[in-house]
Amino acid sequence: MSEPSTPTPMLELRGVMKRFGDKIVLDGVDIPVAKGRSLVIIGGSGQGKSVTLKIAIGLMAPDAGQVLVDGKDVTRLPQSERAAHNAQFGMLFQGAALFDSLTIWENVAFRLINADGVPRKLARERAVEALTRVGLAASVADLYPIELSGGMQKRAGLARAVVAAPQIIFFDEPTTGLDPINADVINDLIVEQVKRLGCTAVSITHDMASARKIGDEIAMLHKGKIVWRGPASQIDHSNNPYVDQFVNGRADGPIKVEL
Amino acid sequence: MNVVQAVGRSTLGLLRTAGSVAIFAGRGVSATFSAPWFGGQFLRQTVAIGYLSLPVVGLTAVFTGAALALNIYTGGGRFNAEQIMPQIVALGITRELGPVLAALMLAGRVSAAIAAEIGAMRATEQIDALQTLSTDPFRYLVAPRLLAAVLTLPLLTAVADIIGISGGFLVATSTLNFSGPLYVQNTWNFLTSWDITSGLIKASVFGFIVALMGAYHGYNASGGARGVGRATTHAVVSAAILIFAADYILTSLFSGK
């Protein structure tokens, strides 16, 4: 009797390894993410969260292993195919990574104008609409990133990530550097936008409030391996000593802080 | 043994860097000649590299031309050859000092600015953002700068040639009792089109070096603000050294010696 077939994950990291010099950062990481699900990867600093995200989105090549998007191996796509492939991705960077020399609307509409060939007038309309969705006034459109607060920059970064309706969105430490209220607003916006687009989301964070709010599932990365994965609702009952120590923020436990 | 190891390590490091720069240059040139092109970026860089460098290049040229005239007049006097000063000033400016000084000014002003801007973009993940937005950083950042520098430095050099020769003219007519019309006539009759063209060809090559060094060091900057500072220094120093090296090679090629 054959086993029931499982749907192809929208994004899958399979046996991914990465080392920098002698330091092994990722040691055979397997992370499948089902279509329409939101996975949050937690873990301490220097445990390979950012490297995982960069490999998933194609900014870094793994030493071994594969990255599959909707079942297609995209690990070592040539540069010419990479741009087209990235069209299905959106990403909110930790510091928003808005382009200093462009206005907010030009930042938000960057992909539309430069990659998708949307006329500037139409691109501006879509950018302003996206800004409104993340709670920014239309008047912000003509300002430069330097004129915005950190929270507003994050919102603009979110608008840029979702404006082209991507199939997979990546969030890199979305609440870092924000006060608790602004962090909660960003979390709400992320949940709202991911739900509206029906897309798959992968986030990395060490903010547990954020992880609980934006994730359907949570995976913990420690020393280059996934040491636990489960529903977000189970994070406080994982019975995993690494997760317990991390979630409760205790100095004592199996995780040793390297000084 | 340690000395041999050190020499070997340095040689390998140098070769690795040369290879890395060559690959970077190849990608930059390839991006310059294939679509998509970013016309707005090119125009912006043309203004930043060319137009905004006019004052510094002009001032450098006028003072250099004036000083050159005084030195050649003094040196020529030792052989009773003061009267060939206009011709030597013109030759020195068009073939050598115009392109080299304009390029060195751009190495200080433009290489540094390109390295700092692209380095800061690297440090704040803006280059990563470009890639996630389906935009090749080589096409958007590197190609427009390379093209703008290659096209504008010859124009700046042409301006430097005119201003530099004018600097010599001013000194000659105001303090050395040269006749103005005769100075102009001597210069005009002496210069060949190749004197000017060879200087402009050099300028184009120097422009490529200036933009390439700025972009290369900025693109590969690491280590936050300190890394950006280091990239800026490396860009200026390497651009200056390569300009002098290229100057010798091109002069040797042009003179056939």
Side-chain angles (χ1 to χ4, degrees), chain A residues 15-18 24-29 223-225:
Chain A
V16 168
M17 300 191 73
K18 185 74 184 176
I24 296 171
V25 179
L26 297 180
D27 190 9
V29 167
K223 292 205 167 171
K225 289 180 184 293

Side-chain angles (χ1 to χ4, degrees), chain A residues 54 57 59 79 83 86-87 89 91 93-94 97-102 110-111 114-115 160 172, chain B residues 27 36 38 41 44 117 120-121 124-137 140:
Chain A
K54 284 187 173 178
I57 203 167
L59 293 172
Q79 189 67 35
N86 279 353
F89 292 162
M91 176 148 178
F93 286 84
Q94 187 173 339
L98 299 173
F99 305 123
D100 306 321
S101 57
L102 302 179
F110 191 91
R111 183 203 292 275
N114 294 296
R160 185 174 70 179
D172 181 3
Chain B
R27 285 183 70 186
F38 294 95
Q41 280 292 306
R44 198 176 294 172
E117 186 180 359
M121 288 183 75
T124 53
E125 296 186 306
Q126 290 178 50
I127 293 179
D128 288 345
L130 273 177
Q131 286 178 271
T132 64
L133 293 167
S134 304
T135 303
D136 180 359
Y140 189 77

Side-chain angles (χ1 to χ4, degrees), chain A residues 51-259:
Chain A
V51 173
T52 305
L53 207 62
K54 284 187 173 178
I55 287 174
I57 203 167
L59 293 172
M60 195 180 275
D63 296 333
Q66 292 173 298
V67 179
L68 296 100
V69 176
D70 207 8
K72 184 188 174 192
D73 186 355
V74 298
T75 318
R76 286 171 185 84
L77 276 185
Q79 189 67 35
S80 52
E81 288 179 45
R82 173 57 68 183
H85 175 73
N86 279 353
Q88 59 193 318
F89 292 162
M91 176 148 178
L92 172 59
F93 286 84
Q94 187 173 339
L98 299 173
F99 305 123
D100 306 321
S101 57
L102 302 179
T103 60
I104 295 299
W105 85 262
E106 286 172 323
N107 264 282
V108 174
F110 191 91
R111 183 203 292 275
L112 301 177
I113 294 170
N114 294 296
D116 300 345
V118 175
R120 281 180 73 84
K121 193 175 174 219
L122 182 59
R124 184 188 162 98
E125 284 171 15
R126 285 178 62 181
V128 171
E129 189 186 321
L131 286 168
T132 311
R133 273 206 206 97
V134 297
L136 289 174
S139 56
V140 166
D142 292 313
L143 299 178
Y144 282 88
I146 192 72
E147 298 173 271
L148 267 56
S149 67
M152 290 168 86
Q153 286 188 20
K154 278 273 169 81
R155 289 182 191 221
L158 179 59
R160 185 174 70 179
V162 301
V163 71
Q167 294 178 49
I168 306 173
I169 309 188
F170 298 90
F171 299 101
D172 181 3
E173 306 277 8
T175 56
T176 296
L178 299 180
D179 64 73
I181 297 168
N182 261 309
D184 200 45
V185 169
I186 288 292
N187 288 333
D188 284 342
L189 285 169
I190 287 172
V191 172
E192 184 186 316
Q193 294 302 315
V194 169
K195 197 172 169 187
R196 181 181 69 83
L197 294 167
C199 58
T200 306
V202 178
S203 316
I204 60 169
T205 186
H206 48 234
D207 174 357
M208 287 314 302
S210 179
R212 286 188 174 93
K213 196 153 200 174
I214 66 180
D216 298 321
E217 287 182 281
I218 296 177
M220 178 154 177
L221 191 62
H222 180 67
K223 292 205 167 171
K225 289 180 184 293
I226 299 292
V227 293
W228 182 83
R229 180 172 175 168
S233 57
Q234 293 299 309
I235 190 75
D236 294 311
H237 315 287
S238 67
N239 291 324
N240 181 296
Y242 293 98
V243 175
D244 285 345
Q245 184 187 355
F246 187 82
V247 168
N248 295 304
R250 289 194 309 262
D252 294 333
I255 304 172
K256 303 296 177 199
V257 179
E258 292 172 13
L259 299 174

